Amino acid sequence: MKKQLFIVCGLAINEDKILLLQRDDEKNDIHLKWELPGGKVEFGEKPDIAIKREFLEETGLKINTIDLVPIAQSYVWG
């Protein structure tokens, strides 16, 4: 059975600076790559709650959401 994951990511801007995270996972090809904070939306979780949780888990920062930009993309593998 195929699953579809819902992912959120956030753009944090403070004084014209953007927050990026550098991944530290030597076992993965994402090691030392830069990305925005974010992750999976849990079943039944609202996207704005998910991004707040992910920010807190990944950065220790408590954030407020201003705007949510819904983007949905799906790929079908045969």
Side-chain angles (χ1 to χ4, degrees):
M1 175 193 286
K2 294 181 182 179
K3 294 181 181 180
Q4 184 174 11
L5 298 175
F6 291 94
I7 306 294
V8 292
C9 68
L11 179 63
I13 302 173
N14 186 16
E15 297 180 8
D16 294 331
K17 295 179 183 172
I18 296 174
L19 174 67
L20 292 174
L21 303 178
Q22 189 177 38
R23 294 296 176 186
D24 185 16
D25 185 355
E26 293 180 9
K27 299 175 189 173
N28 200 315
D29 63 347
I30 63 169
H31 181 61
L32 300 180
K33 300 279 179 27
W34 293 94
E35 67 181 15
L36 296 169
K40 296 179 199 171
V41 178
E42 301 294 334
F43 181 77
E45 188 176 37
K46 294 181 179 181
D48 61 323
I49 301 300
I51 195 60
K52 289 178 182 181
R53 176 182 52 76
E54 288 290 339
F55 256 86
L56 186 59
E57 289 175 4
E58 295 181 4
T59 68
L61 298 174
K62 291 183 179 182
I63 64 162
N64 293 317
T65 55
I66 297 173
D67 288 318
L68 296 177
V69 180
I71 298 175
Q73 189 168 0
S74 180
Y75 295 95
V76 178
W77 291 279

